[in-house]
Amino acid sequence: MRKNIVAGNWKMNTTLEEGVELADQINSLLQGKEKNCDVVICVPFTHLTSVNAVIDPELIGLGAENCSEHEKGAYTGEISAAMVKSTGATHVILGHSERRQYFGENNEQLLAKTQKALEHGLTPIFCVGEVLEERENGTYNDVVASQVEALFSLSPEDFSKIVIAYEPVWAIGTGKTATADQAEDMHAHIRKVIENKYGKEIADNTSILYGGSCKPGNAKELFAKPDVDGGLIGGAALDAESFMGIIEAFN
Ligand code: 13P
């Protein structure tokens, strides 16, 4: 069956020193603790190697927040999937709405990035989600379905390695979370879209995380929904205690 996962997305926050300290705190808090989910922290590229050195890979998975769609070569400033993998990372966030919105990442590019991540043995955490206007004009189910369908040229074997994160853009960093029912409706819809293409077994085994103002205070209600398999956490992942509070929502 699919895994429960709580993943942190640190975004462009923390210096190297602060990031290593935060990772170290999370690692210490998890030591000897009973937990009913996998934990992943996705950190800036500059932090990957140093964070990898202070976390126990049995307790915490390590992820990047993006990678290039190209294999290697003359792409100044870019970071390849192979480079990410070589730091010890296991995961990579792809298609975050901030990448789509501010850096113009499109479906074609995101498919290529996903393929590169998979070729190099990284687990993509593939983000989808509608903007406020699409929520209000009622097109959100179609919008999110088409973002998921951008991956449908992948083989069933490859698709089954992907984690999906549903992050309604209007709920990110706004303090305005989707209700547990809104999240459940969309997660069930995404699972149906996957089932229509890849069949029930793959759909049932795909972890679908919720992201957007998820906090210790609302995580339990969200995670109690049958199709919500955990969270992708922004702001609350930058504090070890509050990140732990979200992890403990699965206990
Ligand atoms: P917040 O938890 O800060 O709303 O961010 C969610 C997010 O974008 C995680 O990727």
Side-chain angles (χ1 to χ4, degrees), residues 94 110-119 124 126 151 154 162:
L94 294 174
L110 291 171
L111 171 64
K113 285 176 184 241
T114 304
Q115 285 165 330
K116 280 292 158 213
L118 290 167
E119 274 171 34
F126 190 84
L151 298 179
L154 294 175
I162 289 170

Side-chain angles (χ1 to χ4, degrees), residues 187-204:
H187 284 224
H189 169 65
I190 292 170
R191 206 177 298 287
K192 197 78 206 159
V193 169
I194 296 170
E195 182 182 333
N196 290 342
K197 168 72 183 172
Y198 290 107
K200 189 161 165 50
E201 192 181 339
I202 288 181
D204 282 346

Side-chain angles (χ1 to χ4, degrees), residues 4 6 26-39 58-59 220 243-251:
N4 292 327
V6 171
I26 296 167
N27 193 70
S28 303
L29 288 172
L30 281 171
Q31 232 127 34
K33 273 257 165 69
E34 183 82 11
K35 65 175 167 62
N36 293 318
C37 61
D38 286 0
V39 175
E58 299 284 312
L59 297 178
K220 218 177 178 72
F243 191 53
M244 278 304 293
I246 296 172
I247 293 164
E248 283 164 0
F250 271 118
N251 288 0

Side-chain angles (χ1 to χ4, degrees), residues 9 11 93 96-98 127 167 171-175 211-214 232-236:
N9 173 10
K11 308 191 180 184
I93 296 173
H96 192 280
S97 61
E98 289 148 17
C127 303
E167 301 203 309
I172 295 177
T174 57
S213 300
C214 186
L232 182 56
I233 319 300

Side-chain angles (χ1 to χ4, degrees), residues 101-144:
Q101 191 179 343
Y102 306 141
F103 302 97
E105 293 189 0
N106 58 41
N107 284 344
E108 194 187 343
Q109 209 177 357
L110 291 171
L111 171 64
K113 285 176 184 241
T114 304
Q115 285 165 330
K116 280 292 158 213
L118 290 167
E119 274 171 34
H120 291 282
L122 293 167
T123 299
I125 301 176
F126 190 84
C127 303
V128 297
E130 81 283 1
V131 299
L132 184 60
E133 192 191 342
E134 294 157 343
R135 172 56 58 173
E136 289 177 344
N137 70 19
T139 56
Y140 50 94
N141 277 334
D142 291 344
V143 167
V144 170

